[in-house]
Amino acid sequence: MNDSSSNDTPALKKTPLHDLHLSLGARMVPFAGYDMPVQYPLGVLKEHLQTREKAGLFDVSHMGQVIIRPKSGDIKDAALALESLVPVDILGLKQGRQRYGFFTHEDGGILDDLMITNRGHHLFVVVNASCKEADLAHLQAHLSETCEIELLDDRALLALQGPKAEQVLAELWAGIGQMKFMDVRDIALHDVDCIVSRSGYSGEDGFEISVPADRAEEIAKALLGHPDCEAIGLGARDSLRLEAGLCLYGNDIDTTTTPVEAGLEWAIQKARRTDGARAGGFPGAARILSELDEGASRRRVGLKPDGKAPVRAHAPLFADEQGTQPIGEVTSGGFGPSVEGPVAMGYVPTALSAPGTSVFAEVRGKFLPMTVTALPFITPTYKR
């Protein structure tokens, strides 16, 4: 996979579903080192609405699936080891349950966001594709004394999202309705041993399915055989997560943003906060705990442009329509098909973060009015 073309550009990696994407007429684009489908003949707008109204199937096999196995055999040792890198209560995570978290660095910034599952004998972690190698090195550098770290490069990952996702998956496993949001189970689909979590990144009810790479196409075709399910590309995945107010690493969160600035303090449980049972002990704890107690100087907020034109990432934000008082920038923006209008997210000073506040975005030399809005833009339909 490391072969270089004649211009020394590394060859794009392919997921186990690459041939299926091509057969479905996908338009492929480079993404995080992979050749990925950005859309299918249905088009981004219809793919987005398909997921909101019925069910959509996404290939997220480019993401990293990692096992953290305690050398002692005691899952508590793996939990405490991982807690040294994330401000999340892993020790309190019950078997068969999943939790959102993030790696932080010494200045309190976010190295990556991830999903963490207690699998009983080990922790199962899903990380972003663009950070996969760095995350693996980070885990090995800090946890190798007590844990074995293994990247599962022989598995694919599918995301089935939407209000009909349960009905679609029930065709392959009748007991799927028993699962609640963030439950994780070992399930045989078509006699294929899969790890299924009731989660996703669209704001809709849904599932993520880890499947052996050599059986991924079989499972994908079985799901797509349902009349309510369509293949969905990265374009709609981005508009869906934006409407749901969910961060994209590298856009809305990165090493320059803290969890509190990003509005992610809900993911830091009481046990890891000031006066908690295991307060601090993670990189950047001094700054993060201080911001939890006293507030951060800026906040990630929802933004609604007053007009019809979308305001894209990196557009500068100002407090005044003359553009003399810079206050931040847009981190994600586009058209929200379910909202039927443009939506965006960005960072503004905390003093200007209340819903209803007016700010101005610079787009091609003009200062367009935007209104600070509560997130998310849609009502999530997670099955709790």
Side-chain angles (χ1 to χ4, degrees):
M1 286 297 189
N2 294 322
D3 294 343
S4 293
S5 61
S6 57
N7 63 358
D8 290 331
T9 303
L12 292 173
K13 298 174 186 173
K14 298 175 181 177
T15 74
L17 295 177
H18 191 266
D19 289 346
L20 179 61
H21 298 316
L22 296 181
S23 73
L24 293 172
R27 182 159 75 82
M28 308 296 285
V29 298
F31 183 80
Y34 284 80
D35 196 26
M36 296 295 291
V38 69
Q39 67 178 77
Y40 297 87
L42 200 59
V44 174
L45 179 71
K46 288 182 179 176
E47 289 174 31
H48 177 111
L49 296 174
Q50 165 75 25
T51 308
R52 286 268 183 261
E53 294 161 9
K54 294 181 181 178
L57 185 68
F58 305 76
D59 180 10
V60 288
S61 305
H62 57 310
M63 298 181 77
Q65 302 180 63
V66 181
I67 283 180
I68 302 174
R69 188 176 284 109
K71 292 180 179 178
S72 67
D74 188 344
I75 191 67
K76 291 179 182 176
D77 292 335
L80 290 170
L82 186 56
E83 283 191 2
S84 71
L85 300 181
V86 300
V88 179
D89 179 5
I90 311 297
L91 192 62
L93 184 61
K94 292 181 176 153
Q95 184 172 341
R97 293 287 293 167
Q98 186 179 62
R99 184 163 277 171
Y100 174 79
F102 23 78
F103 292 126
T104 52
H105 66 52
E106 292 302 332
D107 295 330
I110 299 171
L111 292 170
D112 194 15
D113 61 340
L114 56 148
M115 299 299 293
I116 306 154
T117 301
N118 179 344
R119 299 268 297 143
H121 299 294
H122 64 263
L123 298 174
F124 178 58
V125 176
V126 177
V127 300
N128 284 302
S130 59
C131 305
K132 188 161 48 176
E133 283 77 19
D135 288 349
L136 193 65
H138 186 57
L139 287 165
Q140 289 169 336
H142 292 93
L143 305 191
S144 286
E145 281 190 23
T146 57
C147 301
E148 293 170 359
I149 314 298
E150 180 187 0
L151 177 67
L152 301 178
D153 51 11
D154 60 347
R155 296 188 77 84
L157 192 65
L158 309 177
L160 177 66
Q161 301 285 292
K164 298 286 185 72
E166 181 180 299
Q167 290 171 240
V168 172
L169 199 51
E171 297 284 323
L172 302 188
W173 192 67
I176 204 71
Q178 300 162 12
M179 291 180 70
K180 296 284 194 290
F181 185 54
M182 292 294 200
D183 278 351
V184 182
R185 300 264 185 96
D186 288 310
I187 294 171
L189 304 177
H190 264 221
D191 297 324
V192 180
D193 291 331
C194 301
I195 304 167
V196 178
S197 67
R198 191 157 201 158
S199 60
Y201 224 61
S202 66
E204 297 296 328
D205 182 25
F207 304 87
E208 291 199 345
I209 306 162
S210 174
V211 54
D214 60 350
R215 305 294 293 276
E217 186 170 321
E218 175 188 340
I219 297 299
K221 283 180 173 177
L223 295 168
L224 291 171
H226 194 286
D228 286 332
C229 187
E230 296 282 352
I232 312 294
L234 291 174
R237 183 172 169 82
D238 193 49
S239 57
L240 288 159
R241 69 92 195 165
L242 175 54
E243 285 186 342
L246 298 170
C247 295
L248 176 64
Y249 190 82
N251 286 47
D252 310 293
I253 51 174
D254 58 26
T255 55
T256 70
T257 56
T258 70
V260 181
E261 289 176 331
L264 299 175
E265 58 265 46
W266 56 267
I268 304 175
Q269 290 76 27
K270 185 179 178 182
R272 308 304 308 280
R273 297 187 178 213
T274 305
D275 299 328
R278 295 180 311 289
F282 51 84
R287 179 176 177 184
I288 293 169
L289 293 180
S290 171
E291 289 185 349
L292 280 170
D293 294 337
E294 299 165 22
S297 62
R298 61 176 185 154
R299 293 286 286 180
R300 176 176 63 95
V301 296
L303 297 162
K304 270 199 171 178
D306 289 5
K308 301 268 179 157
V311 177
R312 307 288 179 184
H314 307 302
L317 292 171
F318 297 86
D320 62 316
E321 57 186 322
Q322 289 77 37
T324 63
Q325 301 173 54
I327 56 171
E329 75 167 22
V330 171
T331 54
S332 288
F335 181 75
S338 307
V339 180
E340 298 182 340
V343 290
M345 296 191 294
Y347 284 83
V348 300
T350 301
L352 298 176
S353 65
T357 303
S358 292
V359 298
F360 300 85
E362 184 182 0
V363 180
R364 292 187 290 277
K366 294 182 179 178
F367 297 93
L368 306 181
M370 304 181 86
T371 303
V372 174
T373 309
L375 292 170
F377 296 102
I378 51 97
T379 303
T381 61
Y382 311 128
K383 184 176 176 180
R384 298 189 185 273

